[in-house]
C-alpha cells in the first residue's frame, strides 16, 4: 500500500519538473518532498526519476507508474469528496437519549414531526432517569437536572418550573392550603429519588420558605409514578408545571394546583452533543430541539 502523500509528491514533480516548485505547491520543504519520493521508490524497489539540466524527468518505470499514480489520487480525492458531502446531507442514523420526564407530551410528538421533515434520517430513542455514560459520536442527550457526563458539550436550553399539586379528594378531606407553613399538617409525597433533605418554595414578593422532607417508604425514578401517588390522594407533592399541564390535558381534574403563587426550584433542561464539527443531520436535530425547547422558558 502506497502512502498517498508520497504518490502526490511524485505526481507533482512530474508536472513541475522541479523539487522547489512542487515543494512550494504542496506546502512542504524540499527535503520532505525528496524524502517522500525516496520512500515511494523504496516501496516500488526501483527509481522513478532522472535528473537532466537541473530538472527532473520520469525514467521508464516512472512513465509507466505515472498514470496509475494519478488514478490513485483521483480515487482518493473522490472518496474524500464523498465523505465530505455526507456532512452536508441531512441523512443517516442518530441516537437520542431522553429524560423520562420529557418523553410524553413533548419529545414523542416533535420526533414524529422531525422524521416527517427529514425522511432520510433514522433515530434510535433511549429513555431513562440515569444519564448514559457510554456515548458515541452520533449521540444527542436531552436531560433534566445535574449533568454528570463530561464527554459531550452541554448547552442549557430551558427550565422546568415546579409547583405544588394534590388530588381534589385529598384536599376535600384536609382543606385547601393557604401558606407553605401549613405543609407540616399535610402528608408530603416525596417518592422521587433525591439527595435533598429539604424543599424550598419561592414567592416573588414573600421570599423563600423551606421545610424538611419527611422520609418516604416508596421511592421511584419516574415522574409518572410520582404523579400517580399524588393522584391517589397520598398527599401534596411537587411536579414540573409543564409535566402537570400535559397530564391534566389528557386527564382533567386528576389533581389540582396548590398555592400556585409559590414555586419549587426550577429544573434545568440541558442539550448535550459531541464536541467539534457536527454532521448536517446532527446540526438539524440540535437546532430543531432548541426551537422546540422554548416552551420550557
Amino acid at each position: 500500500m502506497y502512502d498517498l502523500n508520497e504518490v502526490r509528491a511524485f505526481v507533482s514533480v512530474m508536472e513541475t519538473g522541479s523539487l522547489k516548485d512542487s515543494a512550494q505547491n504542496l506546502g512542504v520543504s524540499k527535503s520532505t518532498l525528496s524524502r517522500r519520493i525516496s520512500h515511494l521508490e523504496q516501496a516500488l524497489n526501483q527509481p522513478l526519476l532522472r535528473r537532466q539540466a537541473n530538472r527532473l524527468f520520469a525514467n521508464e518505470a516512472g512513465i509507466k507508474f505515472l498514470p496509475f499514480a494519478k488514478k490513485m489520487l483521483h480515487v482518493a480525492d473522490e472518496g474524500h469528496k464523498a465523505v465530505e458531502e455526507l456532512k452536508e446531507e441531512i441523512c443517516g442514523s442518530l441516537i437520542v437519549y431522553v429524560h423520562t420526564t420529557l418523553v410524553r407530551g413533548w419529545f414523542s410528538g416533535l420526533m414524529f414531526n422531525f422524521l416527517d421533515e427529514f425522511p432520510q434520517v433514522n433515530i434510535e430513542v433511549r429513555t431513562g432517569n440515569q444519564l448514559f455514560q457510554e456515548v458515541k459520536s452520533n449521540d444527542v442527550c436531552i436531560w433534566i437536572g445535574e449533568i454528570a457526563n463530561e464527554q459531550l458539550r452541554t448547552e442549557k436550553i430551558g427550565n422546568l418550573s415546579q409547583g405544588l399539586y394534590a388530588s381534589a379528594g385529598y384536599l376535600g378531606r384536609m382543606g385547601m392550603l393557604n401558606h407553605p407553613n401549613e405543609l407540616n399538617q399535610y402528608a408530603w409525597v416525596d417518592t422521587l429519588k433525591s439527595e435533598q433533605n429539604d424543599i424550598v418554595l419561592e414567592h416573588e414578593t414573600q421570599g423563600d420558605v423551606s421545610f424538611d422532607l419527611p422520609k418516604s417508604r416508596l421511592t421511584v425514578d419516574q415522574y409518572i409514578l410520582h404523579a400517580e401517588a399524588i393522584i391517589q390522594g397520598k398527599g401534596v407533592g411537587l411536579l414540573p408545571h409543564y409535566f402537570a399541564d400535559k397530564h391534566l390535558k389528557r386527564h382533567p381534574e386528576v389533581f389540582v394546583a396548590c398555592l400556585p403563587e409559590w414555586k419549587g426550584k426550577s429544573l434545568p433542561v440541558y442539550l448535550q452533543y459531541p464536541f467539534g464539527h457536527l454532521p448536517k443531520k446532527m446540526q438539524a436535530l440540535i437546532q430543531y430541539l432548541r426551537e422546540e425547547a422554548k416552551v420550557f422558558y
Side-chain angles (χ1 to χ4, degrees), residues 162 180 199-210 259-266:
Q162 298 188 93
I199 196 76
V200 177
L201 296 175
E202 304 169 345
H203 193 282
E204 287 186 3
T205 60
Q206 298 184 41
D208 299 347
V209 173
S210 64
L259 305 176
E261 68 274 16
W262 292 86
K263 296 181 179 180
K265 184 179 179 182
S266 294

Side-chain angles (χ1 to χ4, degrees), residues 177-296:
L177 273 165
N178 296 304
H179 193 274
N181 289 335
E182 300 174 357
L183 279 169
N184 57 5
Q185 303 171 27
Y186 294 73
W188 180 254
V189 178
D190 183 38
T191 57
L192 285 170
K193 287 184 178 181
S194 173
E195 300 299 324
Q196 291 180 280
N197 296 318
D198 63 351
I199 196 76
V200 177
L201 296 175
E202 304 169 345
H203 193 282
E204 287 186 3
T205 60
Q206 298 184 41
D208 299 347
V209 173
S210 64
F211 61 94
D212 293 335
L213 291 175
K215 291 184 178 180
S216 177
R217 294 172 56 208
L218 173 68
T219 59
V220 299
D221 63 358
Q222 300 263 356
Y223 270 100
I224 190 64
L225 298 177
H226 182 68
E228 188 63 29
I230 296 174
I231 292 169
Q232 292 188 18
K234 302 302 180 181
V236 181
L238 272 179
L239 287 172
H241 288 122
Y242 179 83
F243 177 87
D245 291 345
K246 290 293 183 181
H247 200 80
L248 287 171
K249 285 182 179 180
R250 293 189 297 270
H251 308 287
E253 300 180 359
V254 291
F255 48 70
V256 296
C258 307
L259 305 176
E261 68 274 16
W262 292 86
K263 296 181 179 180
K265 184 179 179 182
S266 294
L267 301 173
V269 181
Y270 292 107
L271 180 61
Q272 288 195 293
Y273 48 90
F275 289 94
H277 181 73
L278 302 177
K280 200 72 171 180
K281 60 183 177 182
M282 191 173 293
Q283 294 180 36
L285 176 61
I286 290 170
Q287 184 58 35
Y288 193 83
L289 293 172
R290 286 180 185 139
E291 292 295 322
E292 295 295 329
K294 290 179 179 179
V295 297
F296 298 142

Side-chain angles (χ1 to χ4, degrees), residues 114-185:
F114 181 83
L115 291 174
D116 288 341
E117 185 173 346
F118 302 104
Q120 297 186 66
V121 175
N122 302 314
I123 295 179
E124 177 183 343
V125 178
R126 302 178 186 178
T127 66
N129 270 42
Q130 299 296 317
L131 188 61
F132 293 84
Q133 295 301 310
E134 294 185 6
V135 295
K136 302 176 182 178
S137 59
N138 282 351
D139 291 351
V140 175
C141 299
I142 312 158
W143 219 249
I144 294 177
E146 296 301 320
I147 291 295
N149 196 319
E150 297 181 354
Q151 298 180 52
L152 299 173
R153 184 187 299 277
T154 299
E155 173 185 338
K156 185 177 179 181
I157 58 174
N159 288 290
L160 290 180
S161 62
Q162 298 188 93
L164 295 169
Y165 293 87
S167 72
Y170 180 78
L171 293 176
R173 297 192 305 272
M174 299 297 298
M176 291 296 294
L177 273 165
N178 296 304
H179 193 274
N181 289 335
E182 300 174 357
L183 279 169
N184 57 5
Q185 303 171 27

